[in-house]
Amino acid sequence: MGPGRSRGSVSRRLVWPADVLVCLVWVASVWVATRVEAGPGLRTTALFVHLGALVLGMGSVLTIDYYGLLWLCGKRTLRQVLDFTAPLHVPVWTGLAGMVLSGVVLGPDPAVALIRVKLALVLLIAINGVHAQALHRTLQEQGDEGATRRLLVRGGISAVVSQLGWWGAVAIGFLNSRP
């Protein structure tokens, strides 16, 4: 087993604790959200933060996926895509964290079916993000020659799940904000 493989297995071993942490943070945020009563001023501030975090997080996700499309079209090498998108994980996670924290203040009602779907999508986005980041590290470690079809399919699935999750949550947020 080569050094790239051993590091890849370390990345895989670190995924499940991150998944557990994401689930615990999600459960805690839903629990707190059902117990917080924010006044109009705080709700307005939280909505502004929520929208700003959406721009940051989803904008970064769209940029990552756009570069993936450039690679699929032969306009970038896989190495170029991986190098360019590596620093974008920080704004993705910052945006997602900002949306979760501000979302707690916005007081989603888990008794509403559409809100339950949105909350599930947020959890899906976060867990997918953990796995996408691990996949990104694996692809960087293995280089262009180690990018197996299986890894690339996982990347494609991750991108589709990400887009469906983000756009689904945005659509529900929009529908929920209408009077």
Side-chain angles (χ1 to χ4, degrees):
M1 186 175 336
R5 276 213 182 274
S6 119
R7 275 180 281 176
S9 52
V10 168
S11 291
R12 282 191 298 277
R13 282 187 302 218
L14 295 176
V15 167
W16 77 265
D19 283 344
V20 170
L21 179 62
V22 161
C23 289
L24 290 173
V25 168
W26 180 84
V27 167
S29 67
V30 171
W31 184 83
V32 170
T34 61
R35 284 150 180 80
V36 169
E37 283 291 324
L42 185 56
R43 281 187 56 78
T44 300
T45 301
L47 181 58
F48 181 79
V49 170
H50 203 69
L51 293 173
L54 171 66
V55 170
L56 178 64
M58 190 170 176
S60 299
V61 166
L62 289 169
T63 302
I64 290 169
D65 290 348
Y66 175 70
Y67 264 75
L69 285 174
L70 289 175
W71 171 74
L72 286 174
C73 294
K75 304 286 185 190
R76 298 286 185 276
T77 66
L78 183 58
R79 175 61 48 206
Q80 288 172 321
V81 171
L82 293 171
D83 289 346
F84 178 82
T85 59
L88 292 174
H89 291 281
V90 172
V92 170
W93 284 108
T94 303
L96 185 57
M99 290 181 69
V100 169
L101 291 172
S102 60
V104 165
V105 176
L106 294 173
D109 183 1
V112 176
L114 211 49
I115 297 301
R116 285 195 305 269
V117 172
K118 182 178 180 182
L119 293 171
L121 288 173
V122 170
L123 178 60
L124 177 69
I125 290 166
I127 289 174
N128 185 62
V130 168
H131 290 263
Q133 198 164 0
L135 176 61
H136 190 277
R137 280 191 305 268
T138 299
L139 286 169
Q140 278 189 312
E141 291 167 355
Q142 294 186 358
D144 289 340
E145 62 281 348
T148 64
R149 182 178 190 88
R150 181 171 181 254
L151 289 175
L152 296 175
V153 167
R154 279 180 49 204
I157 291 169
S158 178
V160 169
V161 167
S162 177
Q163 288 298 316
L164 290 174
W166 281 92
W167 283 108
V170 165
I172 291 171
F174 171 75
L175 292 172
N176 193 48
S177 70
R178 296 176 57 202

